[in-house]
């Protein structure tokens, strides 16, 4: 009998506690408050526009670069040769590797000193290039893999010379010059010297748009113009008219992207507006930019040209891109939108504090359909805090 009484008492206590809890929380559902950022942005396809300086040839042949694509060069620098006629591709490849190694030797010779710090710097460059090889391999870009391997080989030679001092540098460079002469003799073709018409980034590929798309005429791009560019997978490089471009130098101080957006999205932008720009598919952060121009509307679309002077790796190699144009960013505490209550000129949320629903006034920075960003306040005693349990169905309180 005593056992039955004890069980009855325990049951009553449990039922009472549950009743008390539900009176306080009403069976509310909660989630943890976390830090977050919401971007108000537009995603669009576009074309990259740069200050490009084509280097031309006047007959069919083969390009032989003295420096690797992506190398910074000065004006009038010898960037390579154009061998007219048919040449052995294996000899051409070997010659390119030798030229790149000689270029690295020249860089080392102009250094202030041959110290271990320079060797350590080269090690860091090799390490970074090794990571690029992994990335390019995952992307299936085997052309870039081979190009990056050549750059690593060049740097390895430079490191050997730098670590060995002046004597090793002189010996290695002499050997490379001899190899170069032998390979050039094997090519046995009429050679055109190629020099950089402007300082910038050397690029051994051209797409035919270097003179069609310029930063000087980008503001006049119309919707139909950009649509035509976006429809093309490849562009005509050699139209049969001589001279024609075979490589180029890109001024990397400033670049643009022209994107196609809907009329509705275009209304959110204005000329000179500061934005942030991110090339999608890259593991790089968004960079600062500004809106340079907005075209007239055509068929419910507009062209927006955005200009940036911030460095983005490999931007000098890209033409067609997909970008996010970020109008605004809101950072703070992130909660579900349904947790926010607007009542009697008050905006607040409820949190579950040890089983008790407590009100917390909030300053909403941005509210979308699914989330709200709350301004973080670590001063007020009744402020919403990071990792609070916020009630997402406030009607249950």
């Amino acid at each position: 009998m005593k056992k039955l009484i004890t069980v009855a008492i325990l049951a009553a206590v449990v039922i009472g506690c549950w009743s008390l809890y539900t009176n306080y929380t009403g069976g509310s559902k909660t989630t943890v408050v976390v830090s977050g950022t919401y971007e108000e942005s537009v995603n669009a396809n576009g074309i990259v526009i740069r200050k490009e300086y084509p280097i031309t040839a006047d007959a069919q042949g083969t390009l032989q670069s003295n420096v690797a694509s992506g190398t910074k060069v000065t004006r009038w620098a010898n960037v390579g040769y154009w061998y007219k006629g048919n040449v052995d591709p294996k000899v051409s490849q070997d010659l390119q590797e030798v030229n790149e190694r000689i270029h690295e030797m020249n860089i080392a010779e102009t250094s202030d000193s041959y110290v271990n710090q320079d060797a350590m710097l080269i090690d860091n460059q090799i390490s970074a290039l090794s990571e690029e090889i992994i990335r390019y391999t995952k992307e299936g870009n085997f052309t870039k893999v081979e190009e990056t391997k050549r750059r690593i080989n060049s740097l390895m030679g430079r490191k050997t010379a730098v670590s060995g001092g002046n004597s090793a540098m002189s010996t290695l460079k002499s050997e490379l010059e001899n190899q170069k002469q032998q390979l050039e003799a094997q090519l046995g073709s009429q050679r055109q010297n190629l020099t950089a018409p402007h300082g910038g980034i050397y690029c051994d590929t051209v797409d035919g748009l270097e003179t069609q798309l310029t930063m000087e005429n980008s503001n006049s791009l119309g919707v139909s113009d950009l649509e035509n560019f976006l429809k093309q997978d490849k562009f005509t490089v050699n139209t049969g008219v001589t001279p024609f471009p075979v490589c180029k130098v890109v001024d990397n101080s400033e670049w643009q992207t022209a994107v196609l957006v809907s009329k509705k999205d275009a209304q959110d932008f204005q000329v000179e507006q500061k934005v942030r720009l991110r090339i999608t598919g890259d593991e790089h952060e968004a960079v600062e930019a500004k809106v340079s121009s907005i075209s007239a509307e055509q068929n419910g679309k507009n062209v927006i040209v955005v200009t940036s002077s911030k460095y983005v790796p490999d931007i000098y190699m890209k033409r067609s891109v997909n970008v996010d144009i970020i109008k605004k960013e809101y950072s703070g505490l992130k909660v579900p939108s349904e947790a926010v209550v607007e009542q009697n000129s008050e905006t607040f949320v409820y949190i579950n504090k040890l089983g008790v629903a407590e009100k917390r006034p909030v300053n909403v920075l941005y509210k979308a359909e699914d989330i709200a960003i709350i301004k973080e306040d670590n001063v007020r005693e009744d402020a919403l805090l990071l990792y609070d349990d916020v009630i997402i169905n406030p009607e249950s309180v």
Side-chain angles (χ1 to χ4, degrees):
M1 185 67 178
K2 287 183 178 180
K3 188 179 288 187
L4 288 174
I5 293 173
T6 302
V7 171
I9 292 173
L10 287 173
V13 170
V14 170
I15 292 171
C17 289
W18 175 251
S19 176
L20 181 63
Y21 177 80
T22 54
N23 283 337
Y24 278 111
T25 65
S28 301
K29 299 176 182 179
T30 64
T31 189
V32 176
V33 176
V34 296
S35 295
T37 298
Y38 185 86
E39 295 178 348
E40 194 175 347
S41 63
V42 171
N43 178 266
N45 292 320
I47 293 286
V48 175
I49 304 170
R50 304 168 287 251
K51 295 178 181 177
E52 300 176 282
Y53 303 89
I55 303 172
T56 62
D58 56 10
Q60 295 297 321
T62 301
L63 172 66
Q64 184 61 63
S65 298
N66 283 348
V67 296
S69 191
T71 303
K72 294 178 180 178
V73 296
T74 59
R75 189 182 186 189
W76 307 133
N78 174 245
V79 295
Y81 300 98
W82 182 255
Y83 289 91
K84 300 177 182 180
N86 297 322
V87 298
D88 186 335
K90 177 64 170 62
V91 176
S92 178
Q93 179 69 31
D94 291 344
L95 181 57
Q96 181 165 337
E97 291 183 12
V98 170
N99 282 330
E100 289 175 1
R101 293 183 67 185
I102 291 175
H103 177 70
E104 293 296 337
M105 295 300 101
N106 292 334
I107 293 176
E109 279 185 336
T110 56
S111 299
D112 293 336
S113 59
Y114 308 132
V115 294
N116 289 334
Q117 183 179 1
D118 198 9
M120 291 174 62
L121 177 61
I122 296 172
D123 276 335
N124 292 336
Q125 292 174 328
I126 292 172
S127 177
L129 288 172
S130 298
E131 292 180 3
E132 286 188 15
I133 286 180
I134 295 173
R135 177 165 65 88
Y136 289 136
T137 301
K138 289 180 179 178
E139 295 173 353
N141 191 343
F142 298 109
T143 300
K144 293 293 289 185
V145 168
E146 291 304 316
E147 179 184 308
T148 307
K149 284 182 179 179
R150 292 201 308 271
R151 293 174 66 186
I152 289 177
N153 289 336
S154 297
L155 286 171
M156 290 294 290
R158 179 181 169 189
K159 180 185 175 183
T160 300
V162 168
S163 300
N166 290 329
S167 177
M169 176 81 73
S170 178
T171 300
L172 181 56
K173 187 175 180 182
S174 178
E175 292 175 356
L176 290 172
E177 291 288 358
N178 288 334
Q179 289 181 40
K180 177 180 178 180
Q181 291 178 12
Q182 293 172 11
L183 291 168
E184 287 178 340
Q186 291 181 51
L187 288 177
S189 178
Q190 187 178 356
R191 187 178 76 175
Q192 176 186 342
N193 186 43
L194 303 177
T195 57
H198 195 279
I201 303 294
Y202 173 69
C203 186
D204 60 8
T205 58
V206 292
D207 59 13
L209 298 183
E210 286 77 15
T211 56
Q212 293 185 53
L213 283 173
T214 68
M215 294 183 67
E216 287 73 24
N217 67 18
S218 62
N219 290 356
S220 62
L221 269 176
V223 171
S224 57
D225 299 324
L226 187 53
E227 283 181 332
N228 289 334
F229 285 127
L230 292 173
K231 287 176 183 176
Q232 300 179 58
D233 293 327
K234 294 183 178 180
F235 305 99
T236 302
V237 178
N238 184 359
T239 60
V241 178
T242 57
F244 52 86
V246 295
C247 56
K248 63 188 174 186
V249 172
V250 179
D251 184 339
N252 62 330
S253 61
E254 194 173 50
W255 55 279
Q256 295 178 326
T257 181
V259 298
L260 200 62
V261 301
S262 68
K263 177 183 177 181
K264 180 176 181 292
D265 286 334
Q267 290 174 346
D268 293 333
F269 295 95
Q270 56 186 2
V271 176
E272 297 297 323
Q273 177 181 345
K274 292 182 179 179
V275 295
R276 286 171 61 79
L277 188 69
R278 179 172 52 238
I279 309 295
T280 63
D282 287 348
E283 298 178 358
H284 306 303
E285 295 183 358
V287 297
E288 296 175 358
K290 71 173 183 178
V291 177
S292 300
S293 66
I294 303 174
S295 75
E297 179 267 333
Q298 181 182 345
N299 298 327
K301 300 175 184 177
N302 296 78
V303 173
I304 295 180
V305 177
V306 179
T307 302
S308 179
S309 58
K310 299 298 181 180
Y311 173 71
V312 174
D314 291 342
I315 193 63
Y316 55 87
M317 296 289 290
K318 299 179 185 292
R319 184 64 79 185
S320 297
V321 291
N322 180 267
V323 301
D324 290 323
I325 304 178
I326 304 167
K327 295 176 284 186
K328 290 183 180 179
E329 290 178 295
Y330 305 90
S331 296
L333 301 177
K334 186 169 72 172
V335 302
S337 292
E338 58 265 34
V340 179
V341 180
E342 296 179 1
Q343 189 178 85
N344 299 327
S345 300
E346 283 186 292
T347 304
F348 58 89
V349 297
Y350 289 110
I351 66 166
N352 187 335
K353 187 79 169 179
L354 300 175
V356 179
E358 294 187 4
K359 182 189 291 188
R360 294 289 185 265
V362 294
N363 180 1
V364 179
L365 299 176
Y366 185 81
K367 186 177 180 182
E369 290 185 8
D370 52 345
I371 67 163
I373 301 297
I374 308 298
K375 183 177 181 180
E376 190 167 7
D377 185 346
N378 293 313
V379 177
R380 291 182 52 164
E381 292 184 2
D382 61 346
L384 180 69
L385 300 177
L386 185 67
Y387 304 136
D388 271 342
D389 284 323
V390 66
I391 296 174
I392 60 177
N393 54 337
E395 70 278 359
S396 65
V397 176

